[in-house]
Amino acid sequence: MMSQMPQPTALSRCPSCEEPLETGDRFCGACGYDLSAVPTPPQDEPTITMNGTSPHPPSAVPSVDWPIAPEVDSSNTPAPVHRAADIQGTDSGGSELPHPTGESAGVRFDRPREPDEYPLAPPAESPSVPLADPRTADLATPPAGGTRLCVACRSGSVDSDGYCENCGHAQPRERDHMEQELSAVSAVSDRGLRHHRNEDAFAISSTALPDGSPAVVAIVCDGVSSATRPDEASLAASRAANEALLAALPLGTHPQQAMHEAIIAASEAVNSLADTPASHDEHAPHVNAPACTLVGAIVTPTLLIIGWVGDSRAYWVPVDRASPPARLTEDDSWAAQMVAAGLMNEAEAYADERAHAITGWLGADAYELEPHTASFKPDRPGVVVVCTDGLWNYAEAAEHLSEVVPLDAAERPLHSAQVLVGHALDGGGHDNVTVAVLPFPAPAQGAGSA
């Protein structure tokens, strides 16, 4: 993948030693600092508040005085600041989405309307051994020696293949249900009620910006089910993006630029999974490249950054429910393109069986990588909900999702993520479901890597 190109500079002083500079200098005459590495600030395109008014700092915690995210050449542009009013029907640069041209090579029809081809396949239930739901069953204390007890019969031991030696019930795998809680962000992921495995993945963390203020990160990825090893793709992408952000943010990289580069790092991580020996393809001619979608959020005391590729989403839900919620992402999908082109309204488009055909994803067979990034300055506290379509299929509109998010979500993000996952499971759980909840502004205790 291409990286950011150096830009010419027009600085009056060296950013390293403050030595005065002359026009045309490429290096500082005092310390030798490479001035070509300093991007020229683009024309001012400030972020705006969620309600379109001038921002009021929601917290007394000082934050970095970020410049506008630097622009690069047109072949690798990390989208400029995305205005809230431009979200619906546009990409991150504010331009219209490309008009659909039929089932082209740039569309991936990976999302069946009813994914019943992924049924759970437990052993036949015995009247004497009722089967428990492995997502909700309390795990019994293992006997001496560390052998796992069956979650169904609660008495049999689990063998090395993951089956109960007493009732034969398959045990839940580690990724079937995952939860993680940090002081400023929490996430929950569940296999759902129809799929045979969880192909979603997430990574949450927090770090400190150069001025000591916190930056909280959540990355959520959804494996493309029609691709090979989608669970590996989502895990690799979430880890790579998270690691890239934790490396870049403490160095003072603009969060929007850091998010753009993190998505590129995630793409490269997924691409590397396709590097298999030629003999592998000979024995498995139908194997294709691993692929996934990605959505991520960075929350600081004053700034909210969103980045995405695909149809996983981010929503804004204010603490004061009298203020309107908002969807912060625009899907890379067939349905979104139809709406943007004016060929269907949203209800018609998402009712179509082709609605979830994605037009953007991470993977070696992706038509073109176009990371979207958006920058916001909310003027009031709230929470950011980052999720896969396993949730928003059951709460598509921002207003609907806002009704499901608990009123105390900012104080109890883990509980809120659990409630949202439960909402999807109660609705049918046809897909894997993953949700991360980040309170805004980032609380001071969120600083420190995790």
Side-chain angles (χ1 to χ4, degrees):
M1 305 302 297
M2 291 176 290
S3 59
Q4 182 176 347
M5 300 294 292
Q7 302 287 326
T9 183
L11 300 176
S12 60
R13 290 183 177 274
C14 173
S16 177
C17 66
E18 297 294 325
E19 182 73 13
L21 302 173
E22 296 182 4
T23 303
D25 281 351
R26 297 179 61 189
F27 298 89
C28 175
C31 68
Y33 188 86
D34 183 1
L35 301 173
S36 66
V38 182
T40 302
Q43 287 186 329
D44 184 29
E45 296 183 41
T47 49
I48 64 171
T49 60
M50 289 295 184
N51 63 354
T53 61
S54 58
H56 303 287
S59 170
V61 179
S63 66
V64 176
D65 185 16
W66 297 113
I68 299 301
E71 295 181 356
V72 295
D73 65 294
S74 59
S75 63
N76 189 28
T77 302
V81 172
H82 189 153
R83 300 178 183 278
D86 295 337
I87 291 175
Q88 187 63 38
T90 64
D91 66 14
S92 300
S95 60
E96 292 186 2
L97 289 170
H99 287 220
T101 56
E103 299 179 11
S104 66
V107 180
R108 187 164 199 153
F109 290 88
D110 73 300
R111 313 288 178 129
R113 188 174 187 179
E114 291 288 338
D116 290 333
E117 68 261 40
Y118 304 109
L120 297 177
E125 181 173 352
S126 167
S128 61
V129 186
L131 297 181
D133 185 345
R135 294 176 299 98
T136 58
D138 295 327
L139 297 180
T141 304
T147 304
R148 292 170 55 199
L149 287 181
C150 175
V151 300
C153 67
R154 310 298 179 90
S155 60
S157 298
V158 178
D159 63 21
S160 59
D161 292 328
Y163 290 86
C164 176
E165 295 176 340
N166 178 44
C167 68
H169 186 78
Q171 303 302 293
R173 288 164 289 194
E174 180 182 0
R175 287 179 64 175
D176 282 357
H177 186 89
M178 301 178 292
E179 298 187 1
Q180 187 177 357
E181 180 179 26
L182 302 179
S183 59
V185 56
S186 295
V188 176
S189 182
D190 194 275
R191 181 184 64 188
L193 305 179
R194 299 294 184 91
H195 277 234
H196 70 290
R197 65 181 173 187
N198 190 357
E199 297 168 358
D200 289 356
F202 68 81
I204 59 174
S205 59
S206 60
T207 187
L209 299 174
D211 66 351
S213 60
V216 184
V217 172
I219 302 292
V220 168
C221 296
D222 184 355
V224 175
S225 297
S226 63
T228 304
R229 294 146 54 209
D231 53 331
E232 295 181 32
S234 61
L235 185 62
S238 61
R239 288 178 174 176
N242 183 62
E243 290 169 2
L245 290 172
L246 290 182
L249 292 172
L251 299 179
T253 304
H254 189 288
Q256 193 169 2
Q257 184 67 28
M259 178 63 80
H260 175 84
E261 294 171 356
I263 295 175
I264 292 177
S267 176
E268 292 173 345
V270 178
N271 290 351
S272 68
L273 297 177
D275 297 335
T276 55
S279 60
H280 180 82
D281 294 331
E282 294 174 4
H283 297 291
H286 301 294
V287 169
N288 54 14
C292 69
T293 67
L294 180 149
V295 62
I298 304 171
V299 169
T300 75
T302 59
L303 193 65
L304 164 61
I305 298 294
I306 304 294
W308 74 98
V309 172
D311 63 350
S312 293
R313 295 181 177 179
Y315 292 84
W316 164 259
V317 180
V319 169
D320 178 8
R321 299 303 169 84
S323 302
R327 194 174 103 198
L328 306 179
T329 56
E330 180 65 27
D331 298 344
D332 290 321
S333 71
W334 181 91
Q337 287 193 344
M338 297 301 287
V339 173
L343 300 177
M344 289 183 174
N345 62 38
E346 199 161 277
E348 293 170 337
Y350 282 100
D352 193 284
E353 62 182 6
R354 296 165 290 181
H356 289 279
I358 54 176
T359 58
W361 63 89
L362 304 182
D365 64 348
Y367 181 67
E368 183 178 3
L369 176 62
E370 295 184 359
H372 307 288
T373 60
S375 177
F376 303 94
K377 284 186 177 177
D379 65 341
R380 63 200 65 195
V383 294
V384 182
V385 176
V386 183
C387 64
T388 61
D389 62 344
L391 170 63
W392 65 255
N393 276 331
Y394 301 100
E396 197 279 331
E399 293 75 15
H400 185 184
L401 186 80
S402 177
E403 294 173 358
V404 182
V405 175
L407 295 176
D408 60 354
E411 288 76 36
R412 302 174 66 196
L414 176 60
H415 172 256
S416 298
Q418 293 168 334
V419 168
L420 290 168
V421 168
H423 177 76
L425 298 179
D426 290 343
H430 281 218
D431 199 356
N432 307 145
V433 53
T434 301
V435 181
V437 177
L438 305 87
F440 179 92
Q445 64 268 26
S449 297

